[in-house]
């Protein structure tokens, strides 16, 4: 029952992220995302461009019996773990690699810097710095959880 409630909550999060979009112009046309890659004056950070279209969207995995959602929208990224950390940050190209950089509200360091190893239409592989290592995510389409995730057993 508990995992069913968690899954239901996660579906709500996915539905909200799937519906979020640009505010658009007054004429109803969507606004174009910024593509500026110039770093701010006086910074030594690498220039970050938006994440590739291949990694955009909502991705799900399980880790330690918990569902982990990774959502990438333009340059923005977020990670949500059932019963755990909520993190936000950026996703984009840095030095020829697709990188994900997150900061977690609870100070967790589990998923803070990730490198995209590979991506296809349904699978995203990310290697996180630290003990998390590589995780394989499944694409969540239309705000729905992908098949194969654990569910509550009937009583």
């Amino acid at each position: 029952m508990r995992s069913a409630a968690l899954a239901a909550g996660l579906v709500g999060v996915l539905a909200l992220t799937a519906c979020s979009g640009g505010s658009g112009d007054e004429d109803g046309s969507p606004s174009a995302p910024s593509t500026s890659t110039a770093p701010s004056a006086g910074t030594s950070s690498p220039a970050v461009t938006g994440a590739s279209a291949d990694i955009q969207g909502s991705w799900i995995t399980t880790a330690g019996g918990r569902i982990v959602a990774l959502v990438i929208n333009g340059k923005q990224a977020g990670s949500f773990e059932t019963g755990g950390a909520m993190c936000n940050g950026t996703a984009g190209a840095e030095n020829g690699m697709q990188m994900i950089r997150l900061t977690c509200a609870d100070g967790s360091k589990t998923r803070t810097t990730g490198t995209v190893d590979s991506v296809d239409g349904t699978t995203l592989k990310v290697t996180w710095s630290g003990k998390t290592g590589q995780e394989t995510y499944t694409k969540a389409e239309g705000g729905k959880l992908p098949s194969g995730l654990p569910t509550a057993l009937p009583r």
Side-chain angles (χ1 to χ4, degrees):
M1 183 67 162
R2 185 173 182 206
S3 62
L6 293 173
L10 187 56
V11 168
V13 168
L14 292 173
L16 288 174
T17 59
C19 294
S20 67
S23 61
D25 294 335
E26 288 180 21
D27 66 358
S29 63
S31 58
S34 171
T35 58
S36 172
T37 60
S40 301
T43 64
S44 60
S45 302
V48 177
T49 60
S52 73
D54 294 346
I55 67 171
Q56 300 288 325
S58 301
W59 302 89
I60 305 291
T61 193
T62 57
R66 296 178 177 194
I67 298 171
V68 179
L70 177 63
V71 180
I72 301 170
N73 184 8
K75 290 183 184 180
Q76 297 179 329
S79 173
F80 311 92
E81 182 179 337
T82 54
M86 290 185 3
C87 313
N88 64 41
T90 62
E94 291 180 26
N95 301 319
M97 298 181 296
Q98 290 291 315
M99 301 294 296
I100 302 167
R101 298 191 183 276
L102 303 173
T103 301
C104 302
D106 67 356
S108 171
K109 302 287 183 195
T110 305
R111 292 173 190 86
T112 55
T113 303
T115 303
V116 175
D117 299 320
S118 65
V119 62
D120 63 27
T122 59
T123 304
L124 170 70
K125 291 185 180 180
V126 177
T127 298
W128 297 100
S129 60
K131 70 178 186 176
T132 301
Q134 188 180 71
E135 288 185 314
T136 301
Y137 294 83
T138 303
K139 185 97 179 212
E141 295 290 346
K144 296 180 182 173
L145 293 173
S147 63
L149 292 176
T151 58
L153 298 175
R155 291 183 183 220

